[in-house]
Amino acid sequence: MEDGTLCVHAEGEHAALEELVSWLRSTAPHDSVSDEPARVEGHEQFAIRGQPAGVFVVQEHQATAHHFDVRLQVEGVMRSWAVPKGPSMDPAVKRLALEVEDHSLTHNEFEGRTGGGAVIVWDRGHYEQGGRVPWPEALERGHAVFVLHGNKLRGGFALQRTRGGEKPQWLLLKRRDASARPGSDVVTEHPESVKSGQTLEALLAANPHQP
Ligand code: MN
């Protein structure tokens, strides 16, 4: 802070926060540590409000392997992650997300057959970039929080990079907020396209691949 004091913003389970505060008290001179609860604003547990950032889309894609492509508009392109098991609304679930090449915004509308596979627009909407580190720096640093306003996916999410290098690996997590649905499995509960209403399975069955 400007007056030379140190300000810590911490989020977590109540017991863990208590432990942190008592540890800080044990290391500092008497009465020099004070704590106050931060205001929790609905889905946002961040110190800074989300910034409207553009669109997102999740395309379910049957290729060699079945996966969901999660795409977020960042600086004019769709930054993309292939999520084999798809997103979850259960905060206890961590989903592997493989960073893949950027796509153009025009691809967001695409739904149909692709050679032997197919794509449906599984969810879409707009989103806010959150956290204290501005985007795209947050992505470069490997920790990005955001708020989705889709048909199926809503509320706070986080992408956490777990491995860098040529093919970066991330985890996609639902944050604990009012929109979280513990125990749910949104990809099996709501398999249909938000564009056409058809499922990927039905699209594949109705339009057999012509070699
Ligand atoms: Mn794909």
Side-chain angles (χ1 to χ4, degrees), residues 82-103:
V83 182
K85 291 184 176 175
S88 177
M89 292 295 287
D90 182 349
V93 170
K94 296 177 169 71
R95 288 283 155 86
L96 175 67
L98 306 165
E99 190 173 337
V100 294
E101 69 279 10
D102 299 345
H103 275 57

Side-chain angles (χ1 to χ4, degrees), residues 34 39 41 46-48 57 64 66 74 80 83 89-90 92 99 105 115 146 161 171 186 210:
S34 64
R39 199 151 64 97
E41 298 181 0
F46 320 132
I48 292 177
V57 66
T64 312
H66 174 253
V74 181
S80 300
V83 182
M89 292 295 287
D90 182 349
E99 190 173 337
L105 271 75
F146 50 99
R161 191 167 57 218
L171 290 173
V186 66
Q210 307 291 329

Side-chain angles (χ1 to χ4, degrees), residues 59 61 63 67-69 71 82:
Q59 284 161 313
H61 184 190
H67 60 275
F68 291 75
D69 290 298
R71 310 187 199 279

Side-chain angles (χ1 to χ4, degrees), residues 38-200:
R39 199 151 64 97
V40 177
E41 298 181 0
H43 57 244
E44 292 173 273
Q45 295 162 353
F46 320 132
I48 292 177
R49 283 172 177 280
Q51 298 290 322
V55 296
F56 84 95
V57 66
V58 180
Q59 284 161 313
E60 186 180 4
H61 184 190
Q62 179 64 55
T64 312
H66 174 253
H67 60 275
F68 291 75
D69 290 298
V70 174
R71 310 187 199 279
L72 302 170
Q73 182 181 353
V74 181
E75 296 190 313
V77 297
M78 299 303 290
R79 295 287 296 264
S80 300
W81 290 262
V83 182
K85 291 184 176 175
S88 177
M89 292 295 287
D90 182 349
V93 170
K94 296 177 169 71
R95 288 283 155 86
L96 175 67
L98 306 165
E99 190 173 337
V100 294
E101 69 279 10
D102 299 345
H103 275 57
S104 72
L105 271 75
T106 55
H107 185 72
N108 291 352
E109 287 293 310
F110 179 75
E111 178 166 304
R113 294 301 306 255
T114 55
V119 171
I120 62 165
V121 178
W122 182 80
D123 198 19
R124 63 184 170 188
H126 63 279
Y127 84 105
E128 296 163 53
Q129 297 171 345
R132 284 168 289 283
V133 178
W135 292 44
E137 192 188 341
L139 286 175
E140 285 154 22
R141 288 200 197 179
H143 181 70
V145 292
F146 50 99
V147 178
L148 298 180
H149 302 280
N151 286 28
K152 302 173 189 176
L153 301 180
R154 302 194 71 84
F157 286 80
L159 274 163
Q160 175 69 48
R161 191 167 57 218
T162 54
R163 204 168 84 186
E166 294 256 309
K167 294 181 176 176
Q169 290 189 5
W170 301 64
L171 290 173
L172 175 65
L173 305 133
K174 177 75 190 80
R175 292 176 68 97
R176 292 177 197 282
D177 59 20
S179 63
R181 292 200 295 115
S184 69
D185 183 7
V186 66
V187 299
T188 56
E189 289 161 19
H190 300 286
E192 71 290 342
S193 161
V194 293
K195 182 175 176 174
S196 65
Q198 71 187 336
T199 63
L200 186 67

